[in-house]
């Protein structure tokens, strides 16, 4: 056994588990190939060096004076203030949901794009009366390219069903369109860059009711510092550029939070009843027998 294989064999299972946990916390939670690569494998013998060709040194080249290049736009760093400015300008130019999706897909100002598998834009019915905005895609959403399709999505579907709703009568998106590594919360810069796009998304969708799923979505869209435990189930009037009237907006508990705190179910149920009253008042489409 060579030295590398010996030390690999000496690694204890607990160390391997600790290493995997470390990778997972850092956002590396998927194997992207079956081949572990060169790790622990003896290196291939180095190819014999090619014979060195002696060539005479190049003659000095006389450079022609060139016209000075046109001034270049400074590179916009993902996450910078300039990227937020770009996001505002680009979002303001989108006239349809298709244009917005294409503009987002082409946008490189959010650093999360580099680590995500794909963009997660929306799911559901763009003609629906109710729009739900969550925080950010998780692992399943990143894999499938749709919001709320993992564990919390399944609970969201059950909450919707209890209110007479399903994905044909709601439209769902997130504040952030790319998965943060390791499912961490999106940071302030990522939210600031994403906000013009989700505001435009809501304005183009023109919902009768907007639900913010979880504290992050509520804080971002309502610009409030009040926690979700204080503001869930309350109505806010949120104005969006291009919409003639403010949209009645209610924060609800995030399904992932409810999964961790099943004791919240009574509050959740109460919020859904408040929602249903408003749905009836505003003539929203839903299944009456639920
Ligand atoms: N959590 C969210 O906030 N959004 C998703 O799409 C999935 C989980």
């Amino acid at each position: 056994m060579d030295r590398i294989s010996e030390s690999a064999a000496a690694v204890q299972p607990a160390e391997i588990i600790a290493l995997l946990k470390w990778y997972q916390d850092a956002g590396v939670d998927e194997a992207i190939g079956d081949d572990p690569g060169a790790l622990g494998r003896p290196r291939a013998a180095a190819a014999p060096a090619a014979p060195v060709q002696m060539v005479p040194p190049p003659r000095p080249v006389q450079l022609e004076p060139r016209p000075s290049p046109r001034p270049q736009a400074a590179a916009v760093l993902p996450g910078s203030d300039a990227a937020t400015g770009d996001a505002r300008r680009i979002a303001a130019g989108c006239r349809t949901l298709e244009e917005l999706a294409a503009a987002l897909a082409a946008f490189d100002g959010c650093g999360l794009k580099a680590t995500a598998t794909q963009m997660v834009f929306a799911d559901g019915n763009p003609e629906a009366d109710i729009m739900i905005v969550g925080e950010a895609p998780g692992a399943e959403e990143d894999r499938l390219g749709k919001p709320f399709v993992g564990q919390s999505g399944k609970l969201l579907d059950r909450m919707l069903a209890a209110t007479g709703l399903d994905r044909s009568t709601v439209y769902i998106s997130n504040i952030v369109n790319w998965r943060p590594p390791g499912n961490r919360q999106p940071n302030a810069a990522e939210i600031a860059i994403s906000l013009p796009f989700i505001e435009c998304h809501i304005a183009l969708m023109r919902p009768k009711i907007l639900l913010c799923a979880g504290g992050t979505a509520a804080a971002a869209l309502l610009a409030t510092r009040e926690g979700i435990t204080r503001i869930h189930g309350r109505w806010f009037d949120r104005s969006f550029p291009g919409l003639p009237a403010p949209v009645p907006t209610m924060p609800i508990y995030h399904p992932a939070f409810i999964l961790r705190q099943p004791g919240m179910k009574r509050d959740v149920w109460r919020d859904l009843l408040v929602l249903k009253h408003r749905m009836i008042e505003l003539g929203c489409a839903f299944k009456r027998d639920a």
Side-chain angles (χ1 to χ4, degrees):
M1 235 195 280
D2 61 26
R3 285 238 309 281
I4 295 175
S5 323
E6 261 174 36
S7 55
V11 176
Q12 299 299 309
E15 289 174 55
I16 295 173
I17 290 168
L19 180 63
L20 288 174
K21 175 85 179 60
W22 185 86
Y23 275 136
Q24 193 181 38
D25 290 346
V28 184
D29 56 5
E30 268 179 67
I32 55 170
D34 293 332
D35 181 357
L39 192 69
R41 190 186 295 158
R43 282 182 196 213
V52 178
Q53 284 278 343
M54 293 303 288
V55 279
R59 275 187 295 153
V61 180
Q62 197 67 45
L63 288 175
E64 291 282 313
R66 287 224 221 137
S68 58
R70 272 191 290 151
Q72 295 262 316
V76 173
L77 290 177
S80 63
D81 286 350
T84 308
D86 271 3
R88 273 198 212 106
R89 185 179 47 75
I90 294 167
C94 295
R95 294 285 165 265
T96 62
L97 291 174
E98 292 72 25
E99 277 181 26
L100 178 66
L104 253 172
F107 181 67
D108 291 328
C110 181
L112 297 173
K113 186 179 184 182
T115 48
T117 307
Q118 58 186 316
M119 178 178 86
V120 175
F121 185 67
D123 192 26
N125 181 356
E127 303 288 317
D129 292 328
I130 296 161
M131 179 166 180
I132 303 170
V133 177
E135 178 178 309
E140 274 309 281
E141 290 76 18
D142 180 62
R143 200 189 311 276
L144 299 174
K146 282 187 181 179
F148 283 100
V149 287
Q151 280 308 308
S152 46
K154 291 191 174 69
L155 177 53
L156 179 65
D157 285 342
R158 292 211 299 277
M159 289 160 61
L160 293 176
T163 322
L165 297 166
D166 58 23
R167 293 191 188 218
S168 71
T169 42
V170 300
Y171 182 75
I172 309 177
S173 188
N174 281 305
I175 297 287
V176 166
N177 298 92
W178 289 275
R179 180 199 180 199
N183 290 352
R184 67 162 169 76
Q185 274 195 328
N187 64 34
E190 289 153 0
I191 290 173
I193 283 164
S194 305
L195 207 50
F197 291 113
I198 188 63
E199 285 176 342
C200 169
H201 206 155
I202 295 164
L204 290 172
M205 206 274 170
R206 290 179 286 116
K208 286 184 182 167
I209 288 178
L210 176 64
L211 299 176
C212 306
T216 303
L221 285 172
L222 299 173
T224 175
R225 283 167 171 267
E226 282 199 275
I228 189 73
T229 49
R230 295 182 69 88
I231 58 173
H232 72 95
R234 276 167 47 191
W235 289 106
F236 295 78
D237 282 333
R238 170 58 151 102
S239 300
F240 293 92
L243 289 190
V247 180
T249 301
M250 185 169 89
I252 56 171
Y253 281 119
H254 194 288
F257 180 69
I258 305 166
L259 285 171
R260 290 195 301 271
Q261 309 271 338
M264 290 289 171
K265 282 199 178 127
R266 224 175 50 181
D267 281 358
V268 175
W269 183 242
R270 205 177 298 132
D271 293 351
L272 293 178
L273 284 180
V274 173
L275 167 65
K276 196 151 179 181
H277 274 120
R278 196 71 180 260
M279 282 161 47
I280 294 168
E281 228 172 71
L282 297 177
C284 296
F286 68 96
K287 282 200 202 97
R288 301 269 158 180
D289 53 4

